[in-house]
Amino acid sequence: MKKILVTGGCGYIGSHTIVDLIENGFEVISIDNNSRSQPSVLDGITKITGKEVKNYKVDLCHYEETFAVFQENDDIAGVIHFAAYKAVGESVEEPLLYFDNNLMSLINILRCIKEFNVPHFVFSSSCTVYGNPASIPVTENTPFQPAVSPYGSTKQIGEEIVLQTTAYGADIKAVLLRYFNPVGAHPSCNIGELPVGKPKNLIPAITQTAIGKLPQMQVLGNDYKTKDGSCIRDYIHVCDIAHAHTLALKRLQENKQEKTCDVFNLGTGTGLTVLEMIKTFEKVSGVTLNYAITNRRPGDVEAIYANNDKAKNILGWQCKYNAEDMMHTAWEWEKKLSADKNLFTTVNTDLN
Ligand code: WQD
């Protein structure tokens, strides 16, 4: 029950999860077409774990090529599916690109899992499925509001596809993991986030401004009904997210999950505002951040953070990293990227 297939293994959360899986005794292979990631991320994984990870450079939207990977690896004990486009703004401009890529890849991987009798499946979902929640903190039973972007819709629809596939006729058990806001980098600084083009997410926008790659960071609105007017999110270290995948997989392999499909929130349970995250960054880095308050970003949720009791009580999952650790590792990673420009040629798919 050792070999795990990770799709999107060269990506941000995928690479950190591969490290955690290897450190917990699993053998890992990856499928990643590197359309939004760097093959050299695998070198970083090897530096940390000492293990080589084979990546199949395959587009999961091509069923035959995906099927061939399963034919070559008939001992896959489980699949963790990360591979998807995840730029909220891009999804608004290219909805069909997102529905085609994110849903076809999911359907193909599920078809192969069924065909090859792979018993366990972990799906990378997101707090974005909750939309603008009516009440916070959100639990796994909080009703979905309409998705605020086509990206969010692909996660809502994706969850439903997994739920129904495992409920009817497939001998598969699945777990849906709803990430809140993954941030930070592996403490070794050998892997971290590699934003595609100009960063859309808060933490890389902060660190790229601080290092001088961006002239000024924008705080997207400070007129929300929150303690300081800026939005609230549940920022969570990527290594904590990664370890939850290992725990969820182990629970499946130990046959402790009765449901055909279970779901867990992966958040710290603490909401922090944008301005609080900036203050935390300035404290750990000693850098005064150059930022300006600008208008709200359409589609932004005012406030969301997790009730994470279920993951704590059932998975035995505990967050190890706090907001200062998140900012510290993100900053160290940014400085390393800047110091060694050949380390990772940033993917130049310039998202407008
Ligand atoms: C966080 C807060 C912004 C940039 C999205 C997806 C989610 C996940 C993470 C994929 C918001 C503010 C941001 C900036 C800012 N994606 N902000 N200035 O939108 O909560 O979540 O990314 O897994 O599924 O929905 O994350 O980091 O973009 O924004 O003020 O330059 O930071 O307004 O309040 P978000 P984010």
Side-chain angles (χ1 to χ4, degrees):
M1 302 299 275
K2 287 297 208 191
K3 182 183 274 187
I4 303 302
L5 166 62
V6 170
T7 73
C10 297
Y12 177 39
I13 305 173
S15 55
H16 286 79
T17 300
I18 289 178
V19 166
D20 198 89
L21 288 167
I22 291 171
E23 290 177 341
N24 283 274
F26 289 96
E27 180 192 346
V28 183
I29 58 171
S30 166
I31 293 181
D32 193 318
N33 67 356
N34 297 131
S35 64
R36 302 284 172 97
S37 62
Q38 296 293 309
S40 46
V41 167
L42 298 171
D43 300 333
I45 293 172
T46 302
K47 280 185 191 147
I48 299 168
T49 65
K51 301 280 188 187
E52 299 281 332
V53 173
K54 182 175 177 56
N55 179 59
Y56 293 84
K57 192 167 181 172
V58 161
D59 184 340
L60 293 169
C61 292
H62 301 153
Y63 178 70
E64 289 70 23
E65 290 176 42
T66 305
F67 187 90
V69 175
F70 283 79
Q71 270 182 320
E72 188 179 317
N73 297 274
D74 60 2
D75 53 350
I76 293 172
V79 173
I80 305 183
H81 181 53
F82 293 100
Y85 294 159
K86 64 154 197 137
V88 173
E90 185 191 35
S91 78
V92 171
E93 286 157 22
E94 304 263 10
L96 289 175
L97 173 71
Y98 271 65
F99 289 120
D100 182 44
N101 182 69
N102 290 7
L103 299 182
M104 281 319 302
S105 54
L106 171 62
I107 290 165
N108 282 344
I109 204 78
L110 286 171
R111 288 172 65 194
C112 288
I113 284 171
K114 208 173 164 196
E115 188 70 28
F116 287 88
N117 303 310
V118 176
H120 301 136
F121 181 68
V122 181
F123 179 63
S124 167
S125 189
S126 166
C127 62
T128 199
V129 299
Y130 296 110
N132 220 331
S135 65
I136 49 177
V138 293
T139 72
E140 290 80 0
N141 299 318
T142 296
F144 289 2
Q145 298 301 322
V148 292
S149 70
Y151 162 73
S153 295
T154 67
K155 291 301 181 183
Q156 288 183 342
I157 299 165
E159 287 201 4
E160 196 59 29
I161 289 170
V162 177
L163 203 62
Q164 306 233 11
T165 302
T166 53
Y168 307 118
D171 190 15
I172 305 167
K173 283 197 173 175
V175 179
L176 311 173
L177 297 179
R178 293 174 183 160
Y179 316 148
F180 282 69
N181 285 59
V183 298
H186 190 272
S188 68
C189 253
N190 285 311
I191 52 175
E193 190 170 7
L194 289 169
V196 175
K198 185 173 181 293
K200 301 291 182 302
N201 294 137
L202 177 64
I203 306 313
I206 289 175
T207 57
Q208 287 197 15
T209 301
I211 202 92
K213 278 183 192 168
L214 296 173
Q216 185 181 56
M217 186 253 164
Q218 297 172 336
V219 173
L220 300 167
N222 71 341
D223 57 351
Y224 289 97
K225 296 188 198 65
T226 63
K227 62 176 86 165
D228 58 23
S230 61
C231 292
I232 292 173
R233 293 290 183 275
D234 187 332
Y235 299 96
I236 176 161
H237 198 281
V238 62
C239 290
D240 282 329
I241 294 261
H243 190 54
H245 290 74
T246 303
L247 293 174
L249 199 58
K250 281 182 169 177
R251 181 167 173 259
L252 285 167
Q253 293 197 340
E254 291 159 8
N255 207 17
K256 291 178 179 170
Q257 178 172 311
E258 287 172 18
K259 291 179 180 174
T260 52
C261 185
D262 211 342
V263 57
F264 296 93
N265 281 342
L266 298 185
T268 63
T270 301
L272 292 172
T273 69
V274 172
L275 291 171
E276 284 176 322
M277 289 302 272
I278 290 174
K279 287 190 186 67
T280 304
F281 172 78
E282 290 181 329
K283 179 183 174 192
V284 301
S285 66
V287 172
T288 301
L289 191 71
N290 175 13
Y291 68 88
I293 307 286
T294 60
N295 294 331
R296 294 183 175 192
R297 178 170 66 177
D300 265 343
V301 163
E302 176 169 86
I304 185 167
Y305 61 95
N307 174 313
N308 62 5
D309 291 344
K310 187 178 174 188
K312 284 198 288 192
N313 298 334
I314 293 183
L315 295 182
W317 178 69
Q318 283 292 349
C319 294
K320 278 173 57 184
Y321 299 86
N322 62 28
E324 292 192 8
D325 301 323
M326 296 174 208
M327 282 308 193
H328 173 72
T329 54
W331 181 228
E332 291 307 307
W333 172 246
E334 187 66 65
K335 288 189 285 184
K336 179 164 183 182
L337 286 178
S338 186
D340 181 350
K341 299 213 184 313
N342 301 319
L343 188 65
F344 294 96
T345 48
T346 46
V347 181
N348 54 16
T349 310
D350 187 19
L351 301 176
N352 40 34

